[in-house]
Structures are given as structure tokens and as C-alpha cells.
Amino acid sequence: MASHLVITLSLISYLILFTSPSSSASRIILPSDSQKVSVGLYYESLCPYSANFIINYLDKLFETDLISIVDLKLVPWGNAKLRGNNTFDCQHGPYECLLNTVEACAIDVWPDLSEHFPFINCVETLIYEHKYPQWESCFEKLGLDPNPISDCYSSGHGKELELQYAAETNTLQPPHEYVPWVVVDGEPLYEDYENFLSYICKAYKGTAVSTACSKVSVNTVSGKAKVIHPDCYETRVLALAARIKSAITRWMGQKNMVASM
């Protein structure tokens, strides 16, 4: 499991590598924003499978040069449910609503991925280790000022951010069924989300070829049935029930049609 410190150093090394005018790497043509592969992670903070994906899989983007061809967006809402008067409930209770909002504030306060991802990774590491009440220790560990996050949360701005993430999550097509829900260039990966690096390499059409892609097998990407991984599945159960009901209704309709002939 990569630590938040390793990720932070990796990000700093990446920035130095590709911005230093004296480095030979500065002559590498980086992909434009239009060439980058969009990757969206729709998750909720206290889902253990979301935490596992963030700290044990997603951080691999920063351990290689793959981050240079990816436009990564984190959306901390997940299976939360809207109620009246712009209020909402979270699948794992009020503490998850708190941390979802804190992570939304981090993305807003520090919009650069190299700044908000180490913080989110630190928080999710504590969640993975069942130490999430210690999440505020991430400010000290990373040398971050907690006041902007506190102001964002207490002012109600964090709630507004969460409502925006709710709207974005609820308009996904096809709708998300569980979390983590990983989308690459608009296409959900379903249960094959842990194989997301292969999908990135397959989707990339630019000229700045990633050396990391040469080590990733793209043959595993297919339309066949995927290996089922654990996920926070409240909405998945509802979606499955809806599909079963639809199948039964369709079957009954066909049966009645045959009987009437």
C-alpha cells in the first residue's frame, strides 16, 4: 500500500521532471487536454472498496507516467440520497456525509490534482485502516492549512458542492449501480474497474505514448463477462431488482401473446 508521502513525492517528481527546462524530459511533447483520457471516479468516502481502490489502484497513476495522459476527476457522492430542502443522507451515516463534504471542499480549495489527491488519499488510507476519526491528522502530515477546509464546510459551500456532485452522479448514463464506479472516456467499467489502467491505454489516441502502457496488458479489455469485485452495492441491488422485474414483465407479456394466438 503506497503511503500518502510516496504519492506526494511522486507528484513532485513528476512536476519537476516535466517542467524543468534543463531536463531532457522537457523535450517530450505532452498530450493536449483534448488528447487526454478522461477518468471519473464516483465514490463515497466510507465505502471500504472505494478506499481500497483509491489507495491501492488509483495511486498507480502517479507511480508511472500515465498521469500525463489522464484527466482525472473525483466525485465524492456515491450512493447518498437526496431528501427535501436540499438535504441528504449518506449510505454509511452522518460521518460519511462529513467526509464526503470535506473531500469535496479539498477538491474545490486545492483544484490542482497534485494538491487535493494526496489529502484525499491520506483520508482514505485512514478509512481503510479503520482510523477515520483521525482524518484531521492529514493536515499536519501533509503540511496543509486546515482553515480553508473548515471555512468551506462551516459556510455551507461544501454542501453546495455536494449537491452539485449529486446532480452529476444522478445524471450518469448508464446510471451508476454501486461504488466505486469508474468511467473511462464516458464508458463505465462495471466490475472490471480494477483493470482501469488497461482501459486508459486502449482509449488513448494521442502521440505521447506512455511507457507504462507497454507494461499493461490491453488484451484483458473485452465485452465479455467481468470478474465480480466487492463494492458498496445498495443501488446495485435496486438496479438488479428492476432488471429482474422488467425481465419477468417481458416474459409474461410474451406468454400472454402466445396464449392469445
Side-chain angles (χ1 to χ4, degrees), residues 86-176:
N86 288 330
T87 58
F88 47 85
D89 295 318
C90 297
Q91 184 174 9
H92 298 90
Y95 216 114
E96 180 166 76
C97 285
L98 165 66
L99 292 181
N100 281 354
T101 306
V102 164
E103 294 187 9
C105 284
I107 295 168
D108 185 69
V109 170
W110 305 304
D112 194 306
L113 183 64
S114 65
E115 295 179 334
H116 66 249
F117 185 81
F119 177 79
I120 291 175
N121 182 273
C122 178
V123 173
E124 294 299 321
T125 297
L126 292 174
I127 291 168
Y128 187 75
E129 296 174 348
H130 307 290
K131 300 176 182 178
Y132 61 86
Q134 303 174 25
W135 69 271
E136 291 180 274
S137 65
C138 290
F139 293 117
E140 183 177 356
K141 290 177 182 178
L142 297 173
L144 297 172
D145 181 3
N147 290 323
I149 302 299
S150 177
D151 292 344
C152 172
Y153 184 87
S154 60
S155 68
H157 182 56
K159 179 180 177 180
E160 294 175 358
L161 295 172
E162 277 295 277
L163 292 173
Q164 292 173 17
Y165 284 143
E168 181 177 345
T169 302
N170 292 336
T171 55
L172 281 170
Q173 290 298 329
H176 90 286

Side-chain angles (χ1 to χ4, degrees), residues 157-210:
H157 182 56
K159 179 180 177 180
E160 294 175 358
L161 295 172
E162 277 295 277
L163 292 173
Q164 292 173 17
Y165 284 143
E168 181 177 345
T169 302
N170 292 336
T171 55
L172 281 170
Q173 290 298 329
H176 90 286
E177 299 176 14
Y178 42 81
V179 293
W181 188 256
V182 182
V183 178
V184 174
D185 271 1
E187 296 295 328
L189 305 190
Y190 297 98
E191 284 90 351
D192 205 27
Y193 60 83
E194 292 179 357
N195 193 33
F196 78 109
L197 296 179
S198 294
Y199 289 87
I200 292 172
C201 292
K202 185 177 181 181
Y204 181 61
K205 306 302 180 185
T207 57
V209 180
S210 167

